């Protein structure tokens, strides 16, 4: 009987030694506290993670690592969870002995007595700072332009939808589309690296000019956008002109070469009548007109085009104009001006007309506003 008892005790001793060895060797930090939170034991991985030796940690509470990031309510919920016997899993921002803050993923498991009360708490901790940094970088890249670090098209689309909905509730806004004039010349003459440097310098200059709380976005290439909330079309036009002047008056230095440039800007209102995609199309059309009229200018979407119900019809008129130019379908009708005293024709007034593909004759009021806006006049 005594021999059997000794074998059992030896087996228990071996198991306990193995448990101690496992806890000592495990890569994750392990902390054991009593019910009051006083640290009873830590493994070497804890010292490696926090910088605190076992003799410095034992007898202390986990507040030794408090970074000040979390609120009191956060810790009250944590302790309430484990003291009622439930496992707590989560992330905490803790502070090492050297003062550096790190992100810690941990699981706290209560140890219960035979009667069911919590006697000890075992926390297993892992440093996930680098993983979180990489995840945050991925999230940032998903919403920002890699070259200029400005928000990207995805952010604009989300913001545009928000401003359109606000406009329907009476809070008008505006959308500005910007295009750098003659950007291809920079790439062709100085190379793509110089072009990238110009875009970075321009982005910084635009950010300073636009300011908060407006949203400045790089759409891609040499195209940018500005989303204005709570702004009338008049205020948007003033902002666009301020941007145009700021770029026009700025002297950029790209890889040692002085370089002057300008921007063309199209402005469209967000007044609640337009969907987001239609507002983008109108701003793009206004930008196209600004470039067609000689660049370095601002074109605001005007009411002359309100007679056209949607951009599909506007584009149809543009196609008609281009076809009429190519096929010689513009002609004059001459209206005689008669001298009432003599009854003779004094001269003729020449009136331009456009003949469509269906041989319909269209007056100037239907195509001249469109031609002016789209650089076809």
């Amino acid at each position: 009987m005594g021999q059997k008892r000794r074998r059992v005790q030896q087996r228990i001793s071996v198991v306990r030694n193995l448990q101690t060895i496992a806890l000592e060797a495990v890569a994750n930090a392990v902390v054991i506290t009593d019910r009051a939170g006083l640290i009873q034991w830590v493994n070497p991985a804890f010292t490696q993670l926090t910088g605190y030796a076992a003799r410095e940690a034992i007898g202390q509470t986990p507040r030794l690592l408090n970074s000040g990031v979390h609120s009191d309510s956060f810790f009250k919920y944590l302790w309430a969870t484990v003291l009622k016997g439930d496992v707590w899993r989560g992330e905490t921002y803790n502070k090492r002995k050297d003062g550096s803050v790190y992100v810690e993923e941990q699981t706290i498991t209560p140890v219960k007595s035979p009667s069911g009360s919590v006697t000890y708490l075992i926390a297993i901790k892992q440093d996930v700072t680098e993983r979180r940094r990489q995840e945050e970088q991925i999230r940032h890249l998903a919403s920002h332009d890699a070259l200029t670090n400005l928000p990207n098209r995805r952010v604009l689309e989300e913001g545009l939808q928000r401003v359109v909905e606000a406009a329907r509730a009476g809070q008008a806004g505006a959308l500005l589309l910007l295009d750098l004039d003659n950007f291809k010349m920079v790439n062709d003459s100085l190379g793509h690296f110089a072009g990238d440097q110009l875009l970075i310098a321009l982005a910084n200059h635009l950010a300073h000019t636009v300011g908060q709380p407006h949203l400045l976005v790089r759409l891609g290439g040499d195209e940018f956008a500005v989303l204005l909330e709570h702004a009338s079309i008049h205020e948007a036009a003033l902002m666009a002109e301020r941007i145009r002047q700021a770029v026009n008056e700025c002297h950029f230095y790209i890889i040692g070469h002085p370089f002057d440039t300008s921007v063309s800007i199209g402005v469209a209102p967000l007044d609640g009548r337009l969907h987001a995609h239609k507002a983008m199309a109108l701003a793009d059309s206004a930008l196209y007109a600004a470039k067609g009229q000689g660049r370095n200018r601002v074109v605001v979407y005007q009411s002359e085009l309100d007679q056209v119900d949607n951009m599909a019809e506007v584009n149809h008129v543009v196609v008609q104009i281009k076809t009429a130019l190519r096929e010689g379908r513009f002609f004059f009708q001459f209206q005689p001006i008669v001298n009432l005293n003599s009854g003779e024709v004094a001269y003729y007034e020449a009136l331009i007309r456009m003949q469509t593909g269906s041989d319909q004759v269209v007056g100037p009021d239907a195509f001249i506003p469109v031609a002016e806006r789209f650089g076809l006049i």
Side-chain angles (χ1 to χ4, degrees):
M1 189 71 176
Q3 187 176 2
K4 182 177 180 181
R5 182 179 299 173
R6 283 195 299 272
R7 284 200 300 269
V8 170
Q9 289 176 343
Q10 287 174 351
R11 189 177 305 160
I12 293 173
S13 177
V14 169
V15 170
R16 286 177 176 173
N17 286 336
L18 288 174
Q19 290 173 337
T20 302
I21 292 171
L23 289 174
E24 292 276 353
V26 71
N28 291 341
V30 179
V31 181
I32 300 177
T33 75
D34 61 15
R35 179 184 175 88
L38 295 176
I39 296 175
Q40 305 297 306
W41 184 88
V42 297
N43 69 345
F46 172 86
T47 299
Q48 185 177 0
L49 173 63
T50 67
Y52 288 101
R55 66 180 182 278
E56 297 174 297
I58 293 174
Q60 301 287 335
T61 70
R63 284 193 294 271
L64 179 71
L65 307 175
N66 192 348
S67 64
V69 172
H70 301 286
S71 64
D72 290 341
S73 60
F74 174 87
F75 291 110
K76 285 180 180 178
Y77 174 77
L78 185 158
W79 282 102
T81 300
V82 295
L83 290 179
K84 72 177 181 180
D86 293 335
V87 175
W88 184 90
R89 294 182 179 88
E91 289 185 0
T92 53
Y93 285 79
N94 281 344
K95 185 167 64 175
R96 297 185 176 92
K97 184 178 179 180
D98 64 9
S100 61
V101 176
Y102 66 99
V103 185
E104 181 180 85
E105 185 177 78
Q106 65 172 318
T107 301
I108 304 177
T109 304
V111 178
K112 299 179 181 179
S113 67
S115 63
S117 62
V118 174
T119 55
Y120 294 98
L121 301 169
I122 301 175
I124 300 176
K125 302 165 174 284
Q126 180 181 5
D127 186 355
V128 294
T129 307
E130 180 60 22
R131 188 175 77 194
R132 288 292 171 263
R133 187 192 67 79
Q134 292 177 355
E135 290 173 352
E136 289 173 4
Q137 184 177 18
I138 291 171
R139 284 195 294 270
H140 182 81
L141 289 175
S143 60
H144 286 75
D145 173 57
L147 179 65
T148 63
N149 203 36
L150 290 177
N152 60 16
R153 181 182 291 270
R154 172 183 170 186
V155 177
L156 176 65
E157 291 173 350
E158 293 173 354
L160 186 58
Q161 188 61 46
R162 183 184 68 252
V163 176
V164 166
E165 291 173 0
R168 290 175 183 149
Q171 298 285 349
L175 175 65
L176 283 59
L177 293 187
L178 293 67
D179 190 88
L180 189 61
D181 296 330
N182 301 315
F183 177 67
K184 186 175 182 296
M185 183 177 67
V186 181
N187 284 334
D188 292 345
S189 60
L190 299 177
H192 288 280
F193 176 77
D196 288 347
Q197 295 306 301
L198 176 58
L199 290 173
I200 293 171
L202 177 66
N204 293 333
H205 192 59
L206 289 175
H208 177 74
T209 304
V210 172
Q212 297 293 335
H214 310 303
L215 176 65
L216 172 65
V217 169
R218 185 190 177 204
L219 297 177
D222 59 346
E223 293 184 318
F224 297 82
V226 177
L227 182 62
L228 304 179
E229 298 188 48
H230 313 307
S232 66
I233 193 65
H234 175 68
E235 292 169 329
L238 291 177
M239 170 63 82
E241 181 58 26
R242 187 170 76 185
I243 294 171
R244 187 201 66 78
Q245 289 183 6
V247 175
N248 191 54
E249 295 170 0
C250 185
H251 303 291
F252 296 96
Y253 286 87
I254 308 302
I255 58 174
H257 296 271
F259 192 84
D260 292 343
T261 189
S262 60
V263 291
S264 299
I265 305 176
V267 184
L270 302 174
D271 54 11
R273 296 183 299 169
L274 304 173
H275 296 295
H277 69 276
K278 187 177 288 187
M280 282 285 290
L282 290 177
D284 190 57
S285 298
L287 173 60
Y288 179 84
K291 297 185 78 69
Q293 292 176 23
R295 298 183 173 86
N296 191 25
R297 66 190 62 230
V298 175
V299 169
V300 180
Y301 171 80
Q302 296 287 357
S303 59
E304 291 102 315
L305 294 183
D306 285 345
Q307 61 186 312
V308 184
D309 293 334
N310 53 53
M311 282 308 301
E313 295 184 22
V314 171
N315 290 333
H316 179 65
V317 175
V318 171
V319 170
Q320 285 184 326
I321 294 171
K322 291 182 177 180
T323 302
L325 286 169
R326 186 170 58 250
E327 299 180 358
R329 290 180 174 270
F330 284 103
F331 63 94
F332 287 110
Q333 288 183 337
F334 296 93
Q335 177 172 287
I337 305 300
V338 178
N339 187 320
L340 295 180
N341 293 326
S342 64
E344 296 178 352
V345 175
Y347 54 89
Y348 290 86
E349 181 181 19
L351 306 173
I352 192 169
R353 298 290 186 266
M354 180 178 72
Q355 186 177 19
T356 67
S358 60
D359 292 332
Q360 178 186 4
V361 176
V362 179
D365 58 330
F367 60 82
I368 282 183
V370 177
E372 287 176 335
R373 294 300 168 195
F374 286 82
L376 299 171
I377 195 63

